[in-house]
Amino acid sequence: MIRAAGLTNITASQAGNTEYLAATPVTRPLEVKEPQPQTITFAPIPARTYGDAAFFPGATSTNPTIPIDYTSSDHAVANMIGGKVVITGTGTVTIRASQPGNAAYLPADPVEQTFLVQAATLTITADHQVRQGNIANPVLTVSYVGFAYSEGPSALQTAPTVSTAADISSAPGDYPIVVQGAAAANYEIVYVNGTMK
């Protein structure tokens, strides 16, 4: 059993019996070293945008023989999957890098980096429409540009409303089609109105 660091001698001996003489003892020196420190270097993580690809956090250590472990402070903003930071929402999150020790190395002091995940820009555009005289307006529709991670309108907490002042009795002319009122947790929404002709 190793009790402390330092130098000592280990002697191997073997007793004899009625058939064998005792073996000549053999002594060898043994040096037990103190566990060595290991230091993590973890650069700041730049701000990200919802929809960005997963990325490696990029911490390094003075001892590459023991893997660095990562944890996220808020899984609603980012998770650690397969060694990568995977964005799951918007807000501020802290990634903690740690490294365990073993017989040869002391545990490294953990290092944390905090970064912001910004909302993605979602543009909702009211589609242009053509109204024939003396008939009801066509169905008002919208188009979306900017959904992230293969999301779609189901990602909206509140669907947009679309309206126009034109009706069956309106005189010929151009009338704005106004889109507004949508809400989505991870998106900053930009509205583009259309025109009813």
Side-chain angles (χ1 to χ4, degrees):
M1 175 185 296
I2 295 175
R3 298 183 180 275
L7 294 172
T8 188
N9 291 319
I10 301 296
T11 299
S13 61
Q14 186 178 31
N17 58 22
T18 56
E19 297 183 11
Y20 293 93
L21 296 173
T24 301
V26 177
T27 299
R28 294 288 185 267
L30 173 66
E31 181 181 7
V32 179
K33 296 182 178 180
E34 292 278 2
Q36 298 299 301
Q38 47 189 358
T39 302
I40 294 172
T41 300
F42 193 7
I45 300 174
R48 304 282 168 158
T49 299
Y50 186 75
D52 285 352
F55 61 94
F56 290 106
T60 59
S61 172
T62 53
N63 172 33
T65 66
I66 299 177
I68 295 173
D69 297 326
Y70 297 97
T71 55
S72 168
S73 66
D74 190 346
H75 294 171
V77 178
N79 275 331
M80 294 302 309
I81 300 176
K84 291 184 176 183
V85 181
V86 177
I87 294 171
T88 56
T90 56
T92 299
V93 64
T94 298
I95 301 300
R96 178 184 176 95
S98 60
Q99 189 175 31
N102 58 20
Y105 290 93
L106 297 170
D109 291 333
V111 181
E112 296 181 345
Q113 292 295 348
T114 299
F115 69 100
L116 173 67
V117 180
Q118 304 170 111
T121 298
L122 175 65
T123 301
I124 305 178
T125 301
D127 299 325
H128 298 306
Q129 303 290 346
V130 176
R131 180 179 64 88
Q132 303 298 328
N134 299 319
I135 64 172
N137 290 338
V139 175
L140 302 181
T141 58
V142 299
S143 300
Y144 300 93
V145 175
F147 278 117
Y149 305 126
S150 301
E151 292 177 343
S154 61
L156 299 172
Q157 278 76 51
T158 304
T161 60
V162 195
S163 61
T164 181
D167 60 25
I168 194 170
S169 63
S170 298
D174 292 349
Y175 294 86
I177 301 174
V178 179
V179 56
Q180 60 188 345
N186 297 314
Y187 295 92
E188 179 179 345
I189 299 174
V190 175
Y191 299 102
V192 178
N193 293 336
T195 301
M196 175 78 74
K197 292 184 175 293

